[in-house]
Amino acid sequence: MADDPLTDFTRESFTHQNITHPILRSGAGPAVIVMTEVPGITPKVAAFARRVRDLGLTVVLPDMFGTAGRDPNPEGHGLLGAVTYGGGAMIRLCINREFSLLAGPRDSPITTWLRALGAAEHQRCGGPGIGAVGMCLTGGFALAMAVDDRLIAPVLSQPATPVPVTRSRRAGIGIDSADLARIRQRCAQGLIILGLRFRGDRLVPGERFEFLREQFGAAFVAVELDPADAAPNAPTPPHSVLTEHLVDGPGQPTRQALDLVLDHLRDRLLGTGDGTGRPSPDEP
């Protein structure tokens, strides 16, 4: 897949509490914050964002790390270029004080910035609320944003922080007890949280999803896929459900997971679904 020039996105910036990041935006309608995975806004992340936009929504992509539009796969820039680029992105994230890879959203200043961005986009775009899709490093941030009533469609795709290096971090999501209590209260009022992972993904252990089930009960809709269902030619083990490991064909489990996410956003933000935000019996 070639680099994506992203010419159908406009570029702006957003500042809150001395943190400034570029943002890319496209579309019209209620806003969905699409938070990128490592190493940045790849062509496949942009392709996912376009699908969200084409529902009749505004997609807003914070450009927080990496080079927007760059293809991270070896086919695009060669094996050495891909390794250097991906490794450089991880090193920068490890020393970036805006993110806490071990603690997750709780101790990451970027959490406050993302909540402020969501509030600004709701004021700008209108609608009943906003959506947020987090992937990998940013997966848990979509949940952290849900303390704000404006977030009504959270999606946690392969939430990989806090990095699961200890038992407690394997079974946690890096959000403090007060925020978890607030989100539980919102779930009792009808909030639905989608979570997606491949079984066997060491970055997103099963204990993490068990913890989310314990916290939110039936309001947490988990999609856990067989690693055999991932795109076979991806350069990394099964991890990125909506992007690098998506098999985009009818009946494919990853495509069904993608469709569930799109239905969730459409239902909650545009009111054109069945009103539940939950999978039907023939969905994963």
Side-chain angles (χ1 to χ4, degrees):
M1 197 170 190
D3 290 354
D4 189 331
L6 303 170
T7 53
D8 52 335
F9 292 82
T10 60
R11 298 173 185 260
E12 304 174 10
S13 66
F14 181 76
T15 300
H16 180 73
Q17 292 186 353
N18 296 318
I19 295 176
T20 299
H21 286 289
I23 59 172
L24 280 68
R25 61 187 305 115
S26 187
V32 178
I33 312 298
V34 176
M35 291 169 278
T36 185
E37 58 198 346
V38 178
I41 302 173
T42 67
K44 290 185 178 180
V45 170
F48 168 76
R50 291 183 178 103
R51 292 179 118 142
V52 175
R53 174 195 67 193
D54 292 346
L55 297 175
L57 298 167
T58 301
V59 287
V60 180
L61 287 76
D63 188 6
M64 298 180 287
F65 43 83
T67 301
R70 179 178 170 125
D71 180 10
N73 293 310
E75 292 85 353
H77 294 274
L79 180 58
L80 180 59
V83 171
T84 302
Y85 176 60
M90 280 305 304
I91 291 171
R92 288 190 293 275
L93 281 168
C94 287
I95 62 176
N96 189 336
R97 294 183 179 180
E98 293 176 17
F99 293 88
S100 177
L101 302 190
L102 292 178
R106 178 182 63 244
D107 294 328
S108 298
I110 199 68
T111 301
T112 301
W113 185 88
L114 286 165
R115 289 170 178 164
L117 174 64
E121 290 298 333
H122 181 235
Q123 182 177 25
R124 176 172 179 169
C125 298
I130 67 167
V133 181
M135 306 179 191
C136 185
L137 166 67
T138 64
F141 291 89
L143 182 64
M145 292 173 68
V147 300
D148 190 318
D149 290 348
R150 284 167 282 220
L151 178 56
I152 61 174
V155 178
L156 289 59
S157 190
Q158 75 270 2
T161 55
V163 176
V165 292
T166 65
R167 180 177 298 179
S168 63
R169 290 190 172 107
R170 288 174 62 85
I173 196 69
I175 297 176
D176 67 32
S177 57
D179 285 351
L180 286 172
R182 174 61 188 141
I183 298 167
R184 282 196 301 271
Q185 182 182 46
R186 294 200 61 210
C187 287
Q189 298 167 347
L191 181 71
I192 299 295
I193 302 162
L194 293 191
L196 304 94
R197 67 181 286 268
F198 285 103
R199 291 189 292 272
D201 185 348
R202 293 184 178 182
L203 292 175
V204 193
E207 295 96 319
R208 183 160 296 163
F209 271 35
E210 285 303 316
F211 172 80
L212 293 168
R213 290 187 185 95
E214 292 170 3
Q215 291 293 318
F216 307 122
F220 178 63
V221 177
V223 178
E224 299 182 273
L225 300 164
D226 192 308
D229 295 326
N233 297 322
T236 57
H239 176 65
S240 301
V241 177
L242 302 174
T243 56
E244 296 299 325
H245 295 97
L246 171 69
V247 182
D248 193 6
Q252 293 290 337
T254 52
R255 173 59 186 272
Q256 291 176 329
L258 168 63
D259 289 342
L260 179 61
V261 168
L262 297 176
D263 287 346
H264 177 61
L265 296 171
R266 181 191 297 114
D267 177 16
R268 291 282 157 160
L269 298 173
L270 298 174
T272 55
D274 65 3
T276 66
R278 300 176 183 275
S280 63
D282 60 344
E283 291 177 317

